[in-house]
Amino acid sequence: MAPTYFDHNATTPISPRVREAMWSWLGVPANASSRHQFGRAASRALEQAREQVAAAVGAHPTQVIFTSGGTEADNLAIQGVCGGMEPSRLVVSAIEHPAVMRPAQALQRQGWQLASVEVESNGQVSRTRLKETLRKPTALVSVMLANNETGVLQPIPELAETARSHGALFHTDAVQALGRIKVDFAALGVHAMSISAHKIGGPQGCGALIVDKRLDLRPLLYGGGQEKGRRSGTENIAAIVGFGVACESLKTAPLMTEALRDVLEAGLRQRNAVIFGARAPRLPNTSFFAFPGIDGETLVMALDRAGYAVASGSACSSDSSDPSHVLLAMGVSPELAQGAVRVSLGPENTLQEVEGFLQALDSVLSNLRQMAAIAA
Ligand code: PLP
């Protein structure tokens, strides 16, 4: 039987529509800067994709800067906003993805003061906490819209408002939110927002930073001046076209509901799992949980053998076996955090698959407990 894919927060399968659209661009010479007809066709495709991406997030096409993915978009936001300023203060939440954390830490090594805003035990950053962390002058605040591990959503409009009232710019990483909840750049009230194609049925290696028109951004990459000088490098037309089509498809695809996730979590609770972030608003597709006394990595490998692809901690840093920094920030004990496993569902998953998973879990857990008893 084909394995069941339950790891959509790591990446999603490329949809057939996207594949078809990309395919037609793979065999042609497509440099959007060329003046001849091939170049002009590529340029038109690039601008059409820009419109599709902008429309998916309620922005104007001129606000879209294509990048090599969410990681580059995050780096461009953090380093690009701060790079042109005198070092002052930078605030990021304690649960950010490394694509935000690491560039912020790099700025710290260059003389910036880096402050971390803590989260409550439900995984959310409160306005009060942010206010306590903000001091004047703070150049930039970055808080993600949806966490990749817990799926917990942050109250971005109110946090962005708080940052603005302290004279700070605001960036949000919306990589996990796009396609799973409604994402509207203007309504969020932020100055910059990162998104990534491969989380919504598009290709890997393609993303965008959506920016406020007045934002002064120093490029990370200098060269031929593509993307209005904000991101040089010949555009990957096939990938960008795929991203555009994936965004366009969001218009007709209904957003996933919590229904399947709720069935899964009811089953997990019956089996005495602890579910992280369950008291906060969350992405409808994500469940992050642990069985006390069972190691997360071991459980993931056993589930893989049983035919279910799930993740332990964050797949983006899965070479590390440290307990999740997100769970530690929520006050979860390192022992329990070591057991964390993430199921992230996609629109193609079915109730039968979730029920099958719960059944498989029973035998996997019983085997692991037997083995632990023998080893003790
Ligand atoms: N930000 C978040 C919240 C993510 O979950 C990820 C990847 O999983 C990224 C950024 C990085 O995006 P990309 O894989 O497109 O570089």
Side-chain angles (χ1 to χ4, degrees), residues 9 69-71 74 97 99 144 148 173 175-176 196 198-199 316:
N9 289 10
T71 300
D74 282 344
H97 189 275
M144 70 206 315
N148 44 305
D173 175 335
V175 164
Q176 292 291 348
S196 174
H198 75 104
K199 309 293 183 180
C316 301

Side-chain angles (χ1 to χ4, degrees), residues 16 39 57 71 78 108 135 219 251 287 353 362:
V57 295
T71 300
I78 305 292
Q108 190 180 27
R135 313 237 189 301
K251 278 207 280 201
S287 184
E353 287 173 331
D362 283 333

Side-chain angles (χ1 to χ4, degrees), residues 319-369:
D319 52 341
S320 150
S321 54
D322 293 342
S324 147
H325 73 287
V326 176
L327 292 182
L328 298 185
M330 289 165 66
V332 174
S333 73
E335 296 74 39
L336 187 58
Q338 204 72 52
V341 168
R342 180 186 69 190
V343 168
S344 47
L345 303 166
E348 75 280 8
N349 289 134
T350 62
L351 179 61
Q352 285 75 5
E353 287 173 331
V354 169
E355 287 169 349
F357 174 81
L358 290 169
Q359 269 175 22
L361 195 57
D362 283 333
S363 62
V364 163
L365 286 173
S366 130
N367 283 345
L368 292 178
R369 287 186 176 122

Side-chain angles (χ1 to χ4, degrees), residues 8-9 12 176-181 199 255-256 283-285:
H8 292 77
N9 289 10
T12 57
Q176 292 291 348
L178 185 62
R180 304 200 173 120
I181 56 168
K199 309 293 183 180
L255 288 173
M256 272 183 75
L283 290 175
N285 75 321

